[in-house]
Amino acid sequence: MALITFSGFPSSGKTRRAQQLKAHLESRLQDSNYSGPKLKVSIISDDELNISREVYKDGRAEKPARAALFTAMQRQLGQDTILILDAMNYIKGFRYQMYCAAREMKVRVCTVFVVATPDLCKEWNAAREDERAYAPEVLDSLIFRYEEPSSMVRWDSPLFTVPWTDEDVPADDIWKAVTEGIVKPPNAGTQAVPKAPTDALRTLEHTSTTMVAALMAEQSASGGLGGPLTLTVSPTVKAHLTLPARNITLSELQRLKRQFVTVHKKAITLGTIEKGAVDWSEESVAEKFATYIEGNLKA
């Protein structure tokens, strides 16, 4: 349904704002005037995943912590969930990664930027009594490295800024964004690449070899007159093509076959950007190779 990404300095009050927003959203979903789909509101955070503040001391430890957060987000994201991601999310590349995952799932997105001054964050961090405070040097480092969200980039939009002076979050605007906002479709960068079947390489090689042999046999029988020709590839597959009125050599056909196989082998091994299902059946390969021969044989 929707992904709401929180972002802000460490100890800036993100968790309090996330809880405020969760309460507002659940209240609206339970309201008698609400007639939309049945939804649940969930929060994912470092605390929920038992990620220690210590990981932010070392980039090598922080990377798997972000991966755990991303995996948990992917697992819970769905059409029946408004998911609140309560974390610093201070790296714009990581926010973009989550945005792409949300687009692939076809859910709405928005970002909540919780703002507090560095001095206030340090003060609130020092006053914490839940054993989840950041070490002073880690706090300074994270504030220095923080990459602020911007409404000018698509992965942070729509962006809602909540300064420390506000008593509450802009619940009305966020509710409208997650229930009425535009659902951006997946693009080429977010879609999974369709893969060829395991026997595609064998079918490609066998079918093209069979067609070369059949074409040479038919040409020998007709004396190289050219014109429309039907090749029998297998008991159930036939290929139709038109040949020029001249004798075609085996070396020409072998060269075209190598070129054809090389191009399509790359599509099989690396995937393809074609939309929908890709057909690597014997019939489809025979049709493609016949078209390729027609287009590349010179009269």
Side-chain angles (χ1 to χ4, degrees):
M1 175 64 177
L3 173 66
I4 304 173
T5 303
F6 272 68
S7 184
F9 287 159
S11 294
S12 59
K14 295 183 297 299
T15 297
R16 179 171 69 92
R17 300 301 192 180
Q19 293 293 344
Q20 285 179 335
L21 180 59
K22 184 174 187 287
H24 282 296
L25 296 176
E26 288 180 334
S27 175
R28 288 173 181 266
L29 290 171
Q30 295 166 6
D31 191 286
S32 58
N33 293 322
Y34 173 71
S35 58
K38 186 177 181 181
L39 302 172
K40 61 181 178 181
V41 183
S42 299
I43 293 180
I44 295 178
S45 66
D46 286 353
D47 296 343
E48 294 281 337
L49 300 175
N50 293 317
I51 296 174
S52 170
R53 302 291 192 268
E54 296 296 311
V55 301
Y56 294 104
K57 288 183 178 180
D58 182 5
R60 289 173 298 181
E62 183 182 342
K63 190 173 181 180
R66 283 201 305 272
L69 189 69
F70 183 73
T71 300
M73 181 272 291
Q74 285 183 302
R75 189 162 48 241
Q76 294 196 36
L77 203 58
Q79 296 298 325
D80 63 341
T81 303
I82 299 175
L83 186 61
I84 299 172
L85 199 61
D86 172 22
M88 281 184 294
N89 300 316
Y90 70 98
I91 301 172
K92 62 183 178 182
F94 185 55
R95 295 198 298 269
Y96 175 70
Q97 185 181 6
M98 293 185 292
Y99 164 81
C100 288
R103 284 191 65 169
E104 188 173 346
M105 293 292 294
K106 299 180 181 179
V107 301
R108 296 180 177 89
V109 296
C110 72
T111 304
V112 179
F113 180 24
V114 180
V115 179
T117 65
D119 288 341
L120 272 176
C121 292
K122 293 175 183 179
E123 179 184 333
W124 292 339
N125 184 68
R128 298 188 73 151
E129 299 178 351
D130 56 3
E131 299 182 352
R132 294 189 179 274
Y134 295 87
E137 65 276 10
V138 174
L139 186 69
D140 288 338
S141 174
L142 288 171
I143 290 175
F144 177 75
R145 289 185 282 149
Y146 185 78
E147 296 175 341
E148 185 175 311
S150 169
S151 60
M152 300 298 291
V153 297
R154 62 187 182 280
W155 58 88
D156 288 332
S157 300
L159 178 65
F160 303 97
T161 301
V162 186
W164 72 95
T165 52
D166 286 3
E167 290 295 325
D168 208 342
V169 294
D172 291 342
D173 293 334
I174 296 174
W175 171 259
K176 187 174 182 179
V178 300
T179 58
E180 301 177 19
I182 297 173
V183 179
K184 297 180 181 179
N187 57 22
T190 63
Q191 286 180 313
V193 177
K195 298 297 182 182
T198 55
D199 64 343
L201 283 172
R202 178 195 167 280
T203 302
L204 177 67
E205 185 69 40
H206 175 74
T207 303
S208 56
T209 299
T210 302
M211 286 182 65
V212 168
L215 198 154
M216 291 302 297
E218 289 287 344
Q219 184 179 238
S220 177
S222 66
L225 297 177
L229 190 67
T230 299
L231 300 180
T232 301
V233 182
S234 72
T236 58
V237 175
K238 295 183 184 298
H240 305 278
L241 68 162
T242 302
L243 298 180
R246 67 172 179 84
N247 189 52
I248 300 167
T249 65
L250 178 61
S251 61
E252 279 185 283
L253 291 176
Q254 292 285 19
R255 176 176 54 82
L256 291 177
K257 180 210 164 207
R258 284 194 300 271
Q259 292 172 350
F260 177 79
V261 168
T262 299
V263 170
H264 288 79
K265 185 182 292 186
K266 186 178 295 185
I268 291 172
T269 55
L270 299 181
T272 174
I273 59 172
E274 293 181 42
K275 294 182 179 180
V278 180
D279 187 0
W280 290 104
S281 66
E282 187 178 38
E283 183 177 1
S284 176
V285 171
E287 182 181 338
K288 289 177 182 178
F289 189 36
T291 302
Y292 188 82
I293 292 174
E294 281 187 345
N296 288 275
L297 277 180
K298 297 180 181 178

